[in-house]
Amino acid sequence: MKESRLKRIDQCCEEVKLAVRQVHTEGIYPSEAAISKLLAKPGYFRDKKVRAALRAARK
């Protein structure tokens, strides 16, 4: 179960990176609210690793 959870979190991190690129090309600041609208499961922002992926993608 733990491996499955970690795999889902990694997939969500990739989804965050793609969403940041998409929002940035539209000229919108990639805030957490803007990105969460594009995610299948925005609740994953509770995880520290997903938030770190957002911060890394902004840079």
Side-chain angles (χ1 to χ4, degrees):
M1 289 178 74
K2 188 175 183 178
E3 287 181 29
S4 176
R5 181 180 179 279
L6 292 175
K7 190 174 183 179
R8 284 192 312 265
I9 288 173
D10 287 338
Q11 288 173 346
C12 189
C13 289
E14 289 300 316
E15 192 177 350
V16 166
K17 291 175 189 176
L18 293 174
V20 168
R21 285 189 203 125
Q22 178 185 347
V23 170
H24 180 69
T25 58
E26 294 173 3
I28 302 170
Y29 179 75
S31 66
E32 186 176 323
I35 300 302
S36 66
K37 290 179 184 176
L38 301 174
L39 298 180
K41 296 190 177 194
Y44 277 112
F45 268 120
R46 293 185 203 127
D47 191 277
K48 290 179 183 180
K49 190 173 181 181
V50 177
R51 286 180 182 264
L54 175 62
R55 285 191 301 271
R58 282 182 186 159
K59 294 180 181 180

